[in-house]
Amino acid sequence: MSNNSAENIIITRSLIKNFKLDKDTIVKVLTGVNMKIKKGEFVAIMGPSGSGKSTLVNILSTLETITDGDVYIVGSNLKKLTNKEYLEIRRKTSSIVFQNFSLIPYLTALENVKLPMILRGEEDKTATAKAVSFLESVGLYGRMNHLPEQLSGGEQQRVAIARALAHEPKIIYCDEPSGNLDTVTGREIISLFKQLSKEKNITVVMVTHDHEAAKQTDRLYILRNGKLAEEQVSILNKRRSERK
Ligand SMILES: Nc1ncnc2c1ncn2[C@@H]1O[C@H](COP(=O)(O)OP(=O)(O)OP(=O)(O)O)[C@@H](O)[C@H]1O
Ligand SMILES: [Mg+2]
């Protein structure tokens, strides 16, 4: 265990990620990423297209492997975990919200949110009650028995967030969560993440191309040339405090 675990829920040290395309071609995406994220923080990751934002978030959420360096999630060094422990980390700590919502099309909003709880063996009645409360907490009232195609984009993203909450995660990763939404609806979704991080003390790591969305967060990382820089944080925070 890392002695930083209580403070920092995510730590990376000199994180390197290469993709091997064939025996002669290696794509060097992350060339030494250092980051520390505290419990309950809402953090944005920005950077040019192809800079490795999705790759980084996929590594943190254990969907993608590491080439070199260290990643600590809730104090556990991902490199040192057995397969079983690795899956436990994935199941117990994090949830992911994607740009395309990735809801199951033939299940209603309520059923989509219930699914993670049913899969982990919760009783139907309990799962229903919790799913209703998660849907209410994302502001989705009265649409619970609609199929995804019967919901607007913003409503579908709310369902996806409620489903993420159903995992009872310590961390929510979101990769351009407002990328498929209009500006106003996108901003509402970002406000929702902000609220979740503050009220439920959930750590939210969000990839975004939207500067306005990034201003809603506590901190901003910029990914460039395979490394993270934090230089714009103070500027954004200053602007935010001026607005208050
Ligand atoms: N599985 C893979 N195999 C080979 N190369 C990959 C793979 N996944 C990503 N890459 C490469 O890694 C680089 C970073 O990709 P990534 O998807 O992380 O970028 P991104 O910052 O999320 O971009 P965008 O803003 O367009 O979503 C790109 O050059 C991409 O082609
Ligand atoms: Mg991406």
Side-chain angles (χ1 to χ4, degrees):
M1 292 292 266
S2 149
N3 51 11
N4 270 327
S5 60
E7 271 268 278
N8 293 304
I9 194 163
I10 299 169
I11 302 174
T12 73
R13 292 208 187 106
S14 307
L15 169 61
I16 290 175
K17 177 66 185 179
N18 302 330
F19 287 107
K20 203 168 176 199
L21 288 185
D22 56 53
K23 72 180 193 351
D24 299 319
T25 323
I26 289 177
V27 186
K28 295 182 176 180
V29 179
L30 305 177
T31 58
V33 166
N34 297 301
M35 73 186 332
K36 280 184 180 170
I37 297 177
K38 290 190 174 62
K39 191 162 181 9
E41 265 195 308
F42 182 16
V43 174
I45 300 175
M46 298 188 82
S49 181
S51 58
K53 303 178 298 294
S54 297
T55 303
L56 175 58
V57 162
N58 289 344
I59 287 173
L60 299 178
S61 61
T62 76
L63 291 180
E64 186 71 77
T65 57
I66 302 161
T67 305
D68 205 356
D70 291 297
V71 176
Y72 298 84
I73 303 294
V74 204
S76 299
N77 187 338
L78 292 188
K79 223 161 48 180
K80 305 224 163 107
L81 299 180
T82 62
N83 267 345
K84 190 164 165 257
E85 289 167 331
Y86 199 73
L87 290 175
E88 284 281 296
I89 286 269
R90 179 181 301 174
R91 201 165 55 83
K92 287 201 177 151
T93 62
S94 55
S95 267
I96 310 166
V97 174
F98 297 98
Q99 182 175 7
N100 59 3
F101 323 134
S102 50
L103 296 172
I104 297 179
Y106 51 84
L107 296 181
T108 64
L110 186 68
E111 289 163 345
N112 264 287
V113 178
K114 273 172 70 177
L115 190 63
M117 296 183 274
I118 298 294
L119 291 177
R120 67 167 184 249
E122 290 205 23
E123 274 182 34
D124 191 74
K125 219 172 130 186
T126 319
T128 303
K130 283 191 184 176
V132 168
S133 85
F134 291 136
L135 283 161
E136 285 177 355
S137 74
V138 299
L140 203 82
Y141 304 92
R143 295 274 190 285
M144 300 195 185
N145 296 315
H146 289 223
L147 292 169
E149 64 177 19
Q150 297 167 330
L151 296 168
S152 73
E155 288 167 345
Q156 289 183 51
Q157 194 58 303
R158 284 172 196 274
V159 176
I161 296 166
R163 182 185 54 185
L165 292 175
H167 291 277
E168 294 175 18
K170 293 187 172 67
I171 310 168
I172 293 180
Y173 297 101
C174 34
D175 197 346
E176 300 185 45
S178 55
N180 273 333
L181 303 173
D182 65 66
T183 313
V184 172
T185 313
R187 299 277 149 78
E188 285 170 9
I189 293 295
I190 306 304
S191 301
L192 180 57
F193 281 121
K194 187 176 178 179
Q195 182 196 334
L196 292 174
S197 81
K198 297 300 157 257
E199 288 174 8
K200 295 185 191 273
N201 206 24
I202 296 174
T203 306
V204 180
V205 180
M206 173 178 74
V207 172
T208 183
H209 284 287
D210 178 357
H211 280 91
E212 286 302 316
K215 278 188 208 162
Q216 295 290 315
T217 65
D218 298 318
R219 249 160 11 95
L220 166 65
Y221 282 115
I222 311 281
L223 187 55
R224 209 177 275 124
N225 304 324
K227 293 189 170 63
L228 281 184
E230 239 191 284
E231 80 260 28
Q232 297 197 26
V233 175
S234 55
I235 300 167
L236 284 180
N237 282 346
K238 190 163 164 272
R239 280 200 209 123
R240 193 162 54 150
S241 62
E242 280 166 3
R243 274 211 315 273
K244 273 180 191 159

